[in-house]
Amino acid sequence: MENESRDARSLAGRRVLITGITDAASLAAWAARGARQAGAELVCTGLGLTPHHQGLSDRAEAHMSSAFESFQQTVAEELGAETPTFACDLSLDGSVRDLAASLAEREMVLDGVLHAVAFDRTLRPGGKTSLLETSREDFLGCMDVSAYSLVALLRELIAAGVLADGAGVVALSYLGASRVVSHPYKNVGVAKAALERIAGELAAELGPAKGVRVNVVRFSPYSASRAGGAIPGLVEAEKRAADASPLGVAHPQALADEVVHLLRPGSAITGEIRHVDGGQNLLA
Ligand SMILES: NC(=O)c1ccc[n+]([C@@H]2O[C@H](COP(=O)([O-])OP(=O)(O)OC[C@H]3O[C@@H](n4cnc5c(N)ncnc54)[C@H](O)[C@@H]3O)[C@@H](O)[C@H]2O)c1
């Protein structure tokens, strides 16, 4: 009983930065609710307009503004209106630097970071679903947001002195990082492979330097989120995984539980790729 109550508050006194919330169905929103229930104080950052965005079309500006409003509303409703929110485009170094500076100004030192962002232009309706036909621009854009952003984010947080020694970092990935899957997950699959290697390299660099742990969680196919819903064929892939995986598809609450576990202080787990996928990764 005593263990249970200690467990339930395992992130008490820890401040966790959550990226990648779009709406209540976002995997990041599930993880954020889990971290909050475990006692964490949250800081959330969502894609929004910043002074570093130049030359955007009116349509793109309107889209970014409405996405940020919906992010803020989701955070207020799901996590509490007192939760601080910041606009940040993780593909722009200046924007990431501003985020880190804003945290430093408010003396918000982080004990945890969730990286839950990805973007692949080839997955839009009518986009290229062959890697061979993927343009350099679409390849690099996907790699930038979905993989390099973890490097940029941790670098700027460390430079601003807002990543605590012993912090836990978790990035979200998918089986398509190492397997050719049945639905189009080509360009972003390559970027996820890079993200996973980046997590390993940063685990090796930041462990000795700061005791920071960096881990990856691969989750089941999940079509309820904005990004998942945009992947052609993901609904069918989810059904197949539900039927074939030893435990079916994982519920996003199971992802939240694993993220909380990996963010707990004092764990000796780093550089790991965990599967929260009902055992889908075992299948041929
Ligand atoms: N949906 C799935 O099947 C699935 C499975 C495993 C892992 N994942 C991963 O989980 C994470 C969250 O995805 P989700 O399915 O919850 O979808 P989601 O659409 O809710 O989240 C994706 C987030 O990425 C953000 N983003 C995109 N470009 C950005 C940029 N330049 N700067 C800052 N943020 C940016 C979006 O604003 C959005 O909040 C992603 O890394 C995704 O690859 C998803």
Side-chain angles (χ1 to χ4, degrees), residues 178-259:
S178 62
R179 303 269 185 87
V180 176
V181 289
S182 59
H183 55 88
Y185 201 84
K186 293 166 184 292
N187 196 29
V188 67
V190 174
K192 288 294 189 192
L195 175 72
E196 294 184 355
R197 282 291 293 118
I198 285 168
E201 292 296 336
L202 293 178
E205 284 182 25
L206 298 178
K210 288 180 69 64
V212 166
R213 297 160 286 120
V214 188
N215 291 292
V216 172
V217 182
R218 287 183 179 177
F219 187 59
S220 291
Y222 172 72
S223 61
S225 66
R226 194 77 62 85
I231 300 176
L234 196 74
V235 172
E236 293 74 18
E238 198 175 1
K239 280 195 194 113
R240 273 195 303 277
D243 291 342
S245 305
L247 299 176
V249 283
H251 191 278
Q253 184 58 48
L255 172 75
D257 293 344
E258 186 61 22
V259 169

Side-chain angles (χ1 to χ4, degrees), residues 20-22 25-28 47 88-91 116-119 145 172-174 185 192 219-222 225-228 234:
I21 292 180
T22 301
S26 290
L27 291 173
L47 182 59
C88 181
D89 186 330
L90 287 169
S91 69
V117 306
F119 178 68
V145 175
L172 302 190
S173 187
Y174 179 58
Y185 201 84
K192 288 294 189 192
F219 187 59
S220 291
Y222 172 72
S225 66
R226 194 77 62 85
L234 196 74

